[in-house]
Amino acid sequence: FFEVLTTILVAWVLVMMGLTRPRMAERAVYLSAVLFLGSGLLGISHNFYWNAKPTGSLALGAVFSSLQVVPLLLLTLDAWKMQRTKRRSPDGDEKNTNFLKAVWLFILGVNFWNFLGAGVFGFIINLPIINYFQHATYLTVNHAHAALMGVYGNLSVAAMLFCCQRMIHPRYWSPKLMIVAFWALNTGLMLMVLLDLFPVGIWQLWVVVEESFWFARSPSFVDSLGFHTFTWLRAIGGNIFFWGGMVPLIWFIWSRYRHVGTNV
């Protein structure tokens, strides 16, 4: 259902920005709904290993779950082409590029993490033989971070900025600050994934295969020097995420609060 909700919100924002046609948005939403309704039960069945479901249902679930990222990808590719051709919005006025650039960047972030975090990282752990060994390891945490913050975090910020740009006068806008926040948030998240979550997940998977599941989650493993080193490395991405991304966003919204309504 999250994939359907994401596709609907992104489609609406792109149409309002004049970056995609209503017909294309409708097709993407309907395709997403068909995948959800037609494969919803199958799509979630990749989680059913521990419910003693047949291997075949797990394999089908992995395939259909991965297909759910396709509608949003097609929609954004259409918007990318329209953005490249610099088409005008339906009302005939050129959209303010200072406003659109920040919103558009966060929408691109949604698609990047939807493909990598939800698609690639999700598919890696969906396969039954991998799911059996990696269940409840850091590979699950890696998928969760990349998909949840990467997709829905970027989507939330994009929606927030889209609403702000319709309520705040251009002279109070700060496009450079929003661009810095975008790169800091997504760079920080990527560093958290690359410096800690993904490598520790692969390490834990290897330990489960070589030793046992209980050992990969035991205090002797979690309290080891290597595990703690990776955890501290994650703080690099966390600091960039917070100080370069969250703080500027919070300051921007707070400092512009008194100017809300100046562009209505």
Side-chain angles (χ1 to χ4, degrees):
F1 177 75
F2 281 157
E3 288 290 345
V4 181
L5 177 63
T6 302
T7 305
I8 291 172
L9 290 176
V10 170
W12 180 77
V13 171
L14 290 178
V15 169
M16 293 294 290
M17 289 168 61
L19 290 178
T20 193
R21 298 157 293 173
R23 180 59 60 87
M24 180 60 191
E26 291 171 3
R27 289 173 178 172
V29 170
Y30 276 120
L31 177 58
S32 183
V34 166
L35 285 173
F36 169 68
L37 295 174
S39 67
L41 294 177
L42 288 174
I44 63 172
S45 62
H46 68 274
N47 296 302
F48 287 168
Y49 184 90
W50 300 101
N51 294 353
K53 293 297 189 292
T55 303
S57 67
L58 296 174
L60 285 174
V63 172
F64 280 104
S65 176
S66 300
L67 283 175
Q68 290 171 3
V69 305
V70 172
L72 186 59
L73 181 62
L74 293 175
L75 179 65
T76 305
L77 286 175
D78 181 72
W80 176 270
K81 285 192 238 180
M82 189 170 287
Q83 193 263 351
R84 290 286 298 270
T85 58
K86 297 181 180 179
R87 292 188 182 179
R88 292 176 179 271
S89 62
D91 60 7
D93 296 327
E94 193 73 23
K95 293 289 186 179
N96 190 308
T97 56
N98 286 341
F99 289 156
L100 293 184
K101 191 168 184 181
V103 179
W104 174 241
L105 279 176
F106 279 102
I107 289 178
L108 289 180
V110 170
N111 281 270
F112 173 80
W113 289 107
N114 193 51
F115 176 77
L116 179 64
V120 176
F121 289 155
F123 190 76
I124 286 175
I125 64 175
N126 279 352
L127 300 176
I129 188 64
I130 299 297
N131 187 275
Y132 172 73
F133 288 103
Q134 76 78 38
H135 205 77
T137 67
Y138 259 43
L139 281 180
T140 302
V141 180
N142 176 66
H143 165 55
H145 274 67
L148 188 59
M149 176 56 215
V151 178
Y152 305 110
N154 276 296
L155 178 61
S156 299
V157 176
M160 178 185 70
L161 294 180
F162 179 76
C163 293
C164 286
Q165 63 92 9
R166 301 179 78 83
M167 296 187 295
I168 300 174
H169 195 276
R171 69 173 176 269
Y172 301 119
W173 198 257
S174 181
K176 291 182 179 179
L177 184 64
M178 294 301 96
I179 293 171
V180 168
F182 165 79
W183 285 111
L185 285 172
N186 288 276
T187 300
L189 180 59
M190 180 62 78
L191 288 175
M192 285 187 246
V193 167
L194 295 180
L195 296 180
D196 179 35
L197 302 176
F198 186 68
V200 169
I202 296 296
W203 182 22
Q204 270 189 307
L205 176 62
W206 180 82
V207 171
V208 171
V209 173
E210 292 294 321
E211 302 289 340
S212 62
F213 179 74
W214 73 267
F215 180 73
R217 293 176 57 83
S218 65
S220 58
F221 177 79
V222 175
D223 291 334
S224 65
L225 177 62
F227 194 94
H228 278 204
T229 301
F230 278 113
T231 302
W232 280 107
L233 285 174
R234 196 202 312 181
I236 298 174
N239 275 283
I240 295 174
F241 182 94
F242 180 77
W243 295 107
M246 290 298 300
V247 170
L249 274 175
I250 294 171
W251 178 83
F252 173 78
I253 297 300
W254 181 261
S255 63
R256 268 62 174 182
Y257 177 77
R258 63 183 181 276
H259 300 300
V260 169
T262 57
N263 201 36
V264 176

